[in-house]
Amino acid sequence: MPEPFATAGFTDAEAAVSRLEEIYQRNTQFLRDHFEAYLNGGTVTTRVRANYPFVRVTTATHARSLDSRLSYGFVAGPGVHETSVTRPDVFKPYLSEQIRLLIENHGVPVEVGESSEPIPIHFAYRRDINIEATLASNDKAVVTRSLRDLFDVPDLAAMDDAIADGTLELAAGAPEPLSLFRAARIDYSLRRLYHYTGTDPEHFQNFVIFTNYQFYVDAFIRLCEQRLAAGQAGPDAFVGPGNVVLRNQRLGGGSTGSAPDRMPQMPAYHLVEPGYRGITLINIGTGPSNARNVTDHVAVLRPHAWLMLGHCAGLRNTQRLGDYVLAHGYVREDHVLDRELPPWVPIPALAEMQVALEEAVGEVTGLTGFELKRLMRTGTVASVDNRNWEISGPEVIRRLSQSRAVALDMESAAIAANGYRFRVPYGTLLCVSDKPLHGEIKLAGMASEFYRQRVGQHLEIGLKALERLKHQESERLHSRKLRSFAEVAFQ
């Protein structure tokens, strides 16, 4: 192990984050150096280990001077509260805010030191140990012993979501968690994000759009390229799969990187603004499994909001193709989160998200008040795991009628439910693309015409809604209804 880092107290958040960076960089470099020496034929006679840094706060009283409107930034009660930390370079603005709030709200210093959680050797590399370590080592190196005999490797049993799910059972005397995710769980998701989206985690922005159609991606790319070519204030760059970076003309323009030979499974595109204040769009494809998968990983980045923009089946005869549905409730028939979040748990509408979406629809369409109801319905959205639900028999139709659902898709409920589960503000605005219960089945020619007419407007509405949310205080956006009885302090 490297020489121990003495634990130190800090009353300045920036200084605390700098110490986290120092410990993390030294310890990951220590692991990389030993691993690459081993690959190049060096003799390793003992196990090699380095640990993640931690943040800890200790309070001795229930008394605190807090704004009762806040949903995060304070611990639930007296005691020791701690979390391990990874990639402070990516999380620097986030960590600075969380630590600052702890210091201000409790009037005590935070401590920073080395945790007891080992860094898996795979996570000492930012992307792919098989590529990065091999490039730095002798091609003829032969690994003669099992990797697990010498280095810590990812332990999936220690990377669960027990904190977020409220199932964590602490050992006697163990610190209470300070964050929803410990370091190794975050590292796991950062690598999954690159695998699925084709972009590094440092490009992800704090406002996220999920979609299930390439049409939205094409429209987003065109819009972002136009903004950058015009030198528009706000965005600095646009990033696509392969970490292809297109810079704003006001910053000199130009591009770096090359697109991958094959597109990743769920490609991501990022309109980058300073402080991660831009917008990320991810094409998640079709189905609730994809929706749950990607949100499991995006959640560790602690975004300020995520939004589902997609198409749906309209269930009411009064709806027309191209109408919008603003979800205020969900029937979860997708089953991908039944174990972690039973279907009896309500997924409430969040006022800030609902207002931003409704106002954006009104601004883009020019309709207000009662006239807006001609184009948009607010109601329950049902999400299913069977794409052929409409030919599944009368029982399915009866259940939909009993739920008073106005629309049906396959992804929205999973995205909203995981937002609720991971305390990420969520919203859903869908566009009716077919009405199978009323004889309007989506066929190839009809679909193409529909997409041409509606995709651009729908995307514009989503972007305007997120712009509205950006101008709200983050403390207001992160609703208290997403927090449990005894919540962690970090957002």
Side-chain angles (χ1 to χ4, degrees), residues 139-169:
D139 289 338
K140 297 181 180 179
V142 178
V143 178
T144 58
R145 295 174 60 186
S146 171
L147 193 63
R148 288 179 292 181
D149 290 339
L150 302 175
F151 298 90
D152 291 294
V153 297
D155 178 8
L156 296 180
M159 296 182 202
D160 59 29
D161 289 319
I163 301 173
D165 293 335
T167 59
L168 179 68
E169 296 183 4

Side-chain angles (χ1 to χ4, degrees), residues 101-115:
L101 289 171
L102 284 176
I103 295 170
E104 291 177 355
N105 287 332
H106 293 286
V108 297
V110 298
E111 295 178 289
V112 174
E114 288 182 280
S115 74

Side-chain angles (χ1 to χ4, degrees), residues 312-347:
C312 64
L315 300 179
R316 303 301 177 91
N317 197 31
T318 53
Q319 290 170 304
R320 299 167 301 177
L321 300 188
D323 282 359
Y324 295 113
V325 174
L326 176 58
H328 75 180
Y330 302 88
V331 175
R332 293 194 286 136
E333 297 276 3
D334 50 60
H335 305 301
V336 294
L337 283 164
D338 287 1
R339 185 174 67 87
E340 294 84 359
L341 200 66
W344 55 260
V345 176
I347 308 299

Side-chain angles (χ1 to χ4, degrees), residues 3 5 12 131 177 183 196 206 216 222 226 240 247 340 342 349 355 441 481:
E3 290 295 318
F5 244 107
D12 178 80
I131 296 175
Y196 285 114
N206 273 329
Y216 289 87
R222 287 194 300 269
Q226 290 168 3
R247 294 182 181 83
E340 294 84 359
V355 170
I441 301 172
K481 69 178 68 173

Side-chain angles (χ1 to χ4, degrees), residues 9 186 215 230 328 350 361 388 431 436 455 480:
I186 294 172
F215 296 93
H328 75 180
L350 304 181
V361 174
N388 297 315
C431 190
V455 165
R480 288 174 295 177

Side-chain angles (χ1 to χ4, degrees), residues 42-319:
T43 301
V44 179
T45 59
T46 187
R47 189 172 185 83
V48 179
R49 171 172 290 173
N51 295 338
Y52 289 107
F54 73 74
V55 176
R56 177 193 298 152
V57 65
T58 303
T59 59
T61 175
H62 284 281
R64 56 183 186 265
S65 177
L66 291 175
D67 186 335
S68 62
R69 297 170 297 177
L70 297 178
S71 64
Y72 66 91
F74 55 90
V75 297
V80 180
H81 303 259
E82 180 182 308
T83 190
S84 52
V85 171
T86 189
R87 293 300 300 273
D89 59 315
V90 170
F91 291 97
K92 188 170 186 176
Y94 170 78
L95 290 168
S96 296
E97 182 194 21
Q98 308 311 308
I99 293 172
R100 175 184 60 80
L101 289 171
L102 284 176
I103 295 170
E104 291 177 355
N105 287 332
H106 293 286
V108 297
V110 298
E111 295 178 289
V112 174
E114 288 182 280
S115 74
S116 59
E117 183 177 354
I119 303 172
I121 185 61
H122 301 74
F123 296 165
Y125 291 86
R126 294 201 170 186
R127 189 180 298 160
D128 188 338
I129 187 174
N130 297 301
I131 296 175
E132 296 183 59
T134 301
L135 290 176
S137 67
N138 184 341
D139 289 338
K140 297 181 180 179
V142 178
V143 178
T144 58
R145 295 174 60 186
S146 171
L147 193 63
R148 288 179 292 181
D149 290 339
L150 302 175
F151 298 90
D152 291 294
V153 297
D155 178 8
L156 296 180
M159 296 182 202
D160 59 29
D161 289 319
I163 301 173
D165 293 335
T167 59
L168 179 68
E169 296 183 4
L170 288 172
E176 295 284 342
L178 194 57
S179 172
L180 290 178
F181 304 103
R182 293 184 62 81
R185 167 67 173 84
I186 294 172
D187 269 333
Y188 172 76
S189 280
L190 297 185
R191 281 148 187 82
R192 293 286 84 195
L193 282 174
Y194 177 77
H195 171 77
Y196 285 114
T197 71
T199 55
D200 285 332
E202 49 263 44
H203 298 306
F204 280 75
Q205 303 297 291
N206 273 329
F207 296 87
V208 182
I209 294 175
F210 299 110
T211 188
N212 52 5
Y213 283 95
Q214 182 65 30
F215 296 93
Y216 289 87
V217 174
D218 296 340
F220 187 64
I221 292 173
R222 287 194 300 269
L223 178 63
C224 292
E225 290 177 345
Q226 290 168 3
R227 290 185 179 183
L228 297 186
Q232 187 179 86
D236 288 344
F238 176 69
V239 181
N243 295 316
V244 177
V245 179
L246 176 65
R247 294 182 181 83
N248 195 317
Q249 282 296 328
R250 66 179 168 79
L251 301 177
S255 63
T256 58
S258 57
D261 294 334
R262 295 191 190 91
M263 291 299 287
Q265 183 177 344
M266 291 184 272
Y269 303 83
H270 315 279
L271 186 61
V272 177
E273 294 187 13
Y276 301 103
R277 300 287 295 174
I279 293 172
T280 287
L281 182 142
I282 306 174
N283 183 1
I284 65 174
T286 301
S289 179
N290 278 1
R292 189 239 162 109
N293 184 12
V294 71
T295 50
D296 274 351
H297 301 311
V298 173
V300 306
L301 295 171
R302 310 313 298 141
H304 289 317
W306 63 39
L307 173 64
M308 176 65 192
L309 294 183
H311 296 152
C312 64
L315 300 179
R316 303 301 177 91
N317 197 31
T318 53
Q319 290 170 304

